[in-house]
Amino acid sequence: MNFLDQMRALDKRDIGRWPFLFRALLIGAIFIAVTGAATYHFVWNGQRPQLLQAEQEEVDLRKTFEQKQAKAANFEKYKQQLAEMERTFGAMLRQLPGKTEVPSLLVDISQTGLAAGLEEKLFQPANEVRRDFYAELPIRIRLTGSYHELGSFVSGIAALPRIVTLHNVDIRPEAAKDKDATDQLVLDVTAKTYRYLDDDETQAAASAEADAKGKRKKKRAGG
């Protein structure tokens, strides 16, 4: 009787009567199955979260490396872009008048309205508003004239070599004293011009802000 015939002749209900070789094979198979199940449960399942975490870290590190590699490859381009931004910023900064140039700029704004043929009813500079590196100077303006004269004024403001912006624009018909003067309009507008702060003003503003913060802290601590 060959090996296969002996396996077919085995009585599954009476394992104790099996030949030693088959009992040994069965015990070995059971041992392998139990060992495999225990390995899967205690080793594989126990270390799987660590494996998944390591795989995610590998993906993150690969992305970081690719980003840094791309930045390194484009470093010269970034330097050129930065230099271009600095040149552009410098050009814009040069459009801001200095402290001593503001009076002449105010005259230019006023003359722009007069040159357009408008009648100036109000020209009232307000207090400066300090920003990070520049100061903002609002000017309340009221002008009267025709539609085309108002358009000429706006175009003249845009053509000034310094930065001047128009805000709170209000245009309305002028109360006509003469029935024929129906085309006269009133323009109420706030023009804003800007000037850069010199180093002394910037340092003074920073010192004042630091002092104010210190006083607020002392007040809170004392309260």
Side-chain angles (χ1 to χ4, degrees), residues 46-107:
Q47 295 182 352
R48 182 172 175 77
Q50 298 177 6
L51 176 62
L52 294 175
Q53 182 179 0
E55 290 177 348
Q56 185 60 45
E57 289 177 353
E58 180 185 4
V59 172
D60 294 340
L61 289 172
R62 189 180 297 276
K63 288 181 179 179
T64 302
F65 172 76
E66 291 175 352
Q67 291 172 356
K68 291 184 177 181
Q69 186 181 38
K71 289 181 179 179
N74 295 321
F75 181 68
E76 289 300 324
K77 184 182 294 184
Y78 289 144
K79 286 177 63 177
Q80 294 174 3
Q81 290 178 351
L82 178 60
E84 180 62 29
M85 289 173 64
E86 289 176 345
R87 284 194 295 270
T88 302
F89 179 75
M92 293 180 64
L93 192 61
R94 285 192 294 273
Q95 287 187 279
L96 300 182
K99 193 172 185 178
T100 59
E101 298 173 283
V102 169
S104 62
L105 177 57
L106 297 181
V107 172

Side-chain angles (χ1 to χ4, degrees), residues 10-208:
L10 293 175
D11 186 359
K12 297 179 181 179
R13 293 172 296 180
D14 191 6
I15 298 176
R17 293 181 178 276
W18 286 11
F20 175 76
L21 175 62
F22 291 103
R23 283 183 291 168
L25 290 174
L26 178 61
I27 293 172
I30 294 173
F31 177 77
I32 291 172
V34 172
T35 302
T39 301
Y40 176 80
H41 181 74
F42 293 105
V43 179
W44 173 253
N45 280 351
Q47 295 182 352
R48 182 172 175 77
Q50 298 177 6
L51 176 62
L52 294 175
Q53 182 179 0
E55 290 177 348
Q56 185 60 45
E57 289 177 353
E58 180 185 4
V59 172
D60 294 340
L61 289 172
R62 189 180 297 276
K63 288 181 179 179
T64 302
F65 172 76
E66 291 175 352
Q67 291 172 356
K68 291 184 177 181
Q69 186 181 38
K71 289 181 179 179
N74 295 321
F75 181 68
E76 289 300 324
K77 184 182 294 184
Y78 289 144
K79 286 177 63 177
Q80 294 174 3
Q81 290 178 351
L82 178 60
E84 180 62 29
M85 289 173 64
E86 289 176 345
R87 284 194 295 270
T88 302
F89 179 75
M92 293 180 64
L93 192 61
R94 285 192 294 273
Q95 287 187 279
L96 300 182
K99 193 172 185 178
T100 59
E101 298 173 283
V102 169
S104 62
L105 177 57
L106 297 181
V107 172
D108 290 342
I109 296 173
S110 179
Q111 289 296 323
T112 301
L114 297 177
L118 296 169
E119 182 180 354
E120 188 174 273
K121 298 291 188 179
L122 177 68
F123 191 89
Q124 184 179 43
N127 294 328
E128 281 188 343
V129 180
R130 296 288 181 92
R131 303 299 184 186
D132 291 336
F133 60 89
Y134 67 93
E136 180 181 281
L137 177 61
I139 310 159
R140 289 185 58 199
I141 301 174
R142 180 176 297 154
L143 302 167
T144 61
S146 67
Y147 175 82
H148 294 291
E149 289 170 343
L150 294 179
S152 178
F153 167 72
V154 173
S155 299
I157 290 295
L160 289 175
R162 301 297 187 182
I163 297 175
V164 180
T165 58
L166 301 179
H167 306 264
N168 304 324
V169 178
D170 179 35
I171 300 175
R172 63 185 184 277
E174 185 181 23
K177 298 178 182 178
D178 185 351
K179 293 182 179 180
D180 297 330
T182 56
D183 63 338
Q184 294 298 295
L185 300 172
V186 177
L187 169 65
D188 275 309
V189 64
T190 299
K192 291 184 180 180
T193 185
Y194 310 85
R195 71 173 183 87
Y196 66 85
L197 301 177
D198 57 33
D199 293 338
D200 293 338
E201 289 178 303
T202 304
Q203 292 174 4
S207 299

